[in-house]
Amino acid sequence: MTRLSLRLRVFLFFCLLAVGALVIVAGALALGWYRSDPPVPRAPFITAFVAFGLINSGLLLGVWLLFDENVAKPINRLSANLRMRAHADVANQMDAEDAQYLGDLAPAAAALGAKAGLGVEEMAASVARETERLAFEHKRLSALLTASPIGTILVNPAREIVLYDAQAASVLSGIRPPRLKAPLSDFFEADEIEQAFTLDTGQEHQCQLRPVTGSEAVTVRIKKLNGDGHILFFDPSQQVAEAQISARPLVFDFDLMHQNENREIDDLPLDQLVCVVLDLETTGLSVAEDAIVQIGAVRVMNGIKVAGEEISCYVNPGRPIPPSSTRIHHVTDADVAQAPTIAEAGRQLYDFSKDAVLVAHNAPFDIGLLKRHEAEIGAAWDHPVLDTVLLSAVAFGATEEHSLDALCDRLGIRIDPKDRHTALGDAHVTADALVCLLHMLKGQGYENLGALKEQLDRHAHRLYAAS
């Protein structure tokens, strides 16, 4: 019973009251009929029972609706508001009119939040100063590495990428989209990697690695670190022009040095999921008939967006874009005239999304379109999928509004009007929402993806069946 939502438990309580009243009245009428002397017809007793049942049920239904609207829903909103403060650092104010029947509960919660917020503000100020210092150091380190003619990749003992600089990114992007936690074998032939690491004698040594695309081999110098892992150096000039290098930041996550255990995806904590948050702009709203005109995707790892890991490209749909669609996403026929087809763009997205959980707002639409093009892309979209509509329903309740605009407004996420309804812009704000939701859901007791699935399926049946 404790696993049921508050509103459902209240509804069941009122149902129990209605059934209990009917049982008592039925018993009383039956006793009166049996004891009547002389015996009387049953019809008046049955009529009285039916009339009482209708009046009683209607009265209790009306009382339940008032209670649900003025007590249960506001309590849920207050609970979600407190969770946003506690787990997602979102300090939205409780609507006083919405909570007017909760007595002093809402003001007391607001006072507690404000008092806790004073300490949090001091801590946040300290964190902000340290973050600013680290950002400056990160920027300076990025500038130094970018100025160096040598590309650098750091890999952990599982030979997964932990760090890559601008030069390394320029080389990797000529093979597949670069990404943290990607196995080195996604970019270079596995047998050559094995041979190169087998030659390790503790000293720096040079070898050749052949890209999986079959292009020209890259000369690499490999050095084992004092601890675990290896660092790779190579010259990017064999692959790309210098102009392509300067646009990329230094990307790293040193936590990946120690995340080598192989765990089932359902057993991973929510804040350790590797997610690709995507958005598609299309020629219309039909999964079966419309085509993709723009793809945007960003990566979320260890509970944060990975700066510098994103995809944004137009897609040639092979048909004119309806003016009604252009008015929404502003993608024109001229924009997509020289763009790649879904076969090429979809493959790039697939490579970018390898071993990740796919996330989208109203995921059945976006994932449905990608699945429709599996034959052209040459890959099966069998990734685990999260829908931020359903995550929002679990966090805030199914009766709240779950549009992207409403969700971002609730979480205090600002959407720049010029970026709204662009694939990359929507992907970024959806990723911001995902980060907040994952923290909130973990606070609600959903420790891993497996624990969350049952609730997601339940809300999916309820929300999408209704639509």
Side-chain angles (χ1 to χ4, degrees):
M1 180 66 79
T2 56
R3 297 181 62 188
L4 301 178
S5 69
L6 171 66
R7 294 179 61 218
L8 181 55
R9 279 182 277 171
V10 170
F11 176 73
L12 292 176
F13 173 74
F14 277 91
C15 289
L16 183 61
L17 287 180
V19 172
L22 288 174
V23 169
I24 292 172
V25 171
L29 290 174
L31 182 63
W33 180 76
Y34 278 118
R35 290 191 174 184
S36 61
D37 188 20
V40 297
R42 296 180 183 179
F45 289 89
I46 295 174
T47 302
F49 175 75
V50 171
F52 174 82
L54 292 175
I55 294 171
N56 178 70
S57 299
L59 180 62
L60 286 175
L61 178 61
V63 174
W64 169 74
L65 287 173
L66 288 172
F67 191 92
D68 184 64
E69 192 64 35
N70 296 295
V71 179
K73 283 185 179 179
I75 287 176
N76 277 349
R77 294 191 187 106
L78 178 60
S79 174
N81 197 291
L82 291 174
R83 289 195 184 281
M84 284 192 290
R85 286 174 177 267
H87 304 295
D89 296 326
V90 178
N92 286 348
Q93 293 296 320
M94 184 70 180
D95 187 345
E97 184 177 348
D98 187 42
Q100 59 183 317
Y101 296 106
L102 298 183
D104 196 43
L105 181 59
L112 180 62
K115 186 174 180 61
L118 294 177
V120 171
E121 286 179 6
E122 294 178 3
M123 185 183 298
S126 175
V127 170
R129 288 192 295 270
E130 183 64 14
T131 301
E132 184 178 359
R133 185 188 69 80
L134 291 174
F136 175 76
E137 296 296 335
H138 177 274
K139 185 177 180 180
R140 184 162 61 180
L141 178 60
S142 297
L144 288 172
L145 288 175
T146 301
S148 168
I150 304 300
T152 305
I153 296 177
L154 175 65
V155 298
N156 62 19
R159 296 172 192 170
E160 297 171 334
I161 296 176
V162 173
L163 173 150
Y164 60 89
D165 62 6
Q167 292 87 340
S170 64
V171 173
L172 296 177
S173 61
I175 306 169
R176 283 176 175 166
R179 64 193 195 281
L180 293 177
K181 209 177 185 306
L184 205 58
S185 57
D186 277 3
F187 301 91
F188 302 102
E189 293 293 345
D191 57 342
E192 295 191 2
I193 294 173
E194 189 64 31
Q195 182 179 3
F197 280 80
T198 302
L199 292 174
D200 181 20
T201 60
Q203 302 295 321
E204 181 178 309
H205 64 281
Q206 183 171 298
C207 62
Q208 296 280 318
L209 294 181
R210 186 161 37 92
V212 293
T213 54
S215 53
E216 182 181 351
V218 179
T219 300
V220 180
R221 288 182 289 116
I222 300 178
K223 182 176 178 60
K224 184 175 178 60
L225 299 177
N226 290 333
D228 293 328
H230 291 75
I231 190 163
L232 288 71
F233 305 100
F234 48 87
D235 180 4
S237 61
Q238 7 178 3
Q239 299 284 331
V240 295
E242 185 177 346
Q244 293 176 279
I245 295 176
S246 59
R248 290 185 176 275
L250 176 69
V251 182
F252 62 88
D253 185 344
F254 291 118
D255 286 340
L256 297 176
M257 289 297 292
H258 310 290
Q259 290 186 6
N260 300 327
E261 54 182 333
N262 292 320
R263 302 172 66 179
E264 294 294 330
I265 186 70
D266 283 355
D267 296 330
L268 280 176
L270 295 183
D271 56 2
Q272 288 186 21
L273 293 176
V274 177
C275 301
V276 167
V277 186
L278 61 93
D279 183 77
L280 309 176
E281 300 300 332
T282 63
T283 58
L285 299 177
S286 171
V287 172
E289 298 179 1
D290 284 301
I292 300 167
V293 299
Q294 190 179 36
I295 293 174
V298 299
R299 279 170 61 86
V300 170
M301 181 182 297
N302 293 338
I304 59 172
K305 281 197 306 186
V306 182
E309 292 194 348
E310 61 183 40
I311 285 179
S312 178
C313 67
Y314 290 118
V315 181
N316 191 328
R319 67 179 81 172
I321 303 174
S324 57
S325 298
T326 297
R327 280 194 294 271
I328 296 174
H329 51 55
H330 307 296
V331 179
T332 66
D333 290 331
D335 291 327
V336 301
Q338 303 301 318
T341 64
I342 187 60
E344 181 181 345
R347 187 70 206 191
Q348 183 186 26
L349 177 63
Y350 183 84
D351 290 339
F352 185 68
S353 307
K354 187 176 180 183
D355 300 323
V357 177
L358 296 180
V359 183
H361 197 77
N362 191 20
F365 178 75
D366 298 83
I367 306 304
L369 279 166
L370 292 174
K371 283 183 173 294
R372 204 186 88 203
H373 293 289
E374 284 182 336
E376 298 161 74
I377 296 171
W381 294 93
D382 52 5
H383 305 62
V385 176
L386 288 177
D387 187 346
T388 46
V389 172
L390 302 182
L391 295 178
S392 177
V394 174
F396 299 107
T399 58
E400 297 295 331
E401 185 182 352
H402 301 295
S403 67
L404 184 57
D405 293 284
L407 177 59
C408 289
D409 182 63
R410 195 177 297 128
L411 293 171
I413 298 170
R414 181 180 176 274
I415 304 179
D416 193 323
K418 69 180 177 59
D419 293 330
R420 184 68 174 100
H421 294 300
T422 67
L424 185 59
D426 284 358
H428 268 291
V429 295
T430 302
D432 291 333
L434 173 69
V435 169
C436 291
L437 289 169
L438 289 180
H439 287 307
M440 289 182 63
L441 291 167
K442 185 175 181 181
Q444 285 180 243
Y446 301 105
E447 291 294 333
N448 53 46
L449 184 60
L452 188 59
K453 277 185 175 180
E454 183 180 344
Q455 284 293 329
L456 293 177
D457 291 342
R458 184 180 305 168
H459 282 82
H461 177 75
R462 187 181 307 167
L463 290 176
Y464 292 127
S467 61

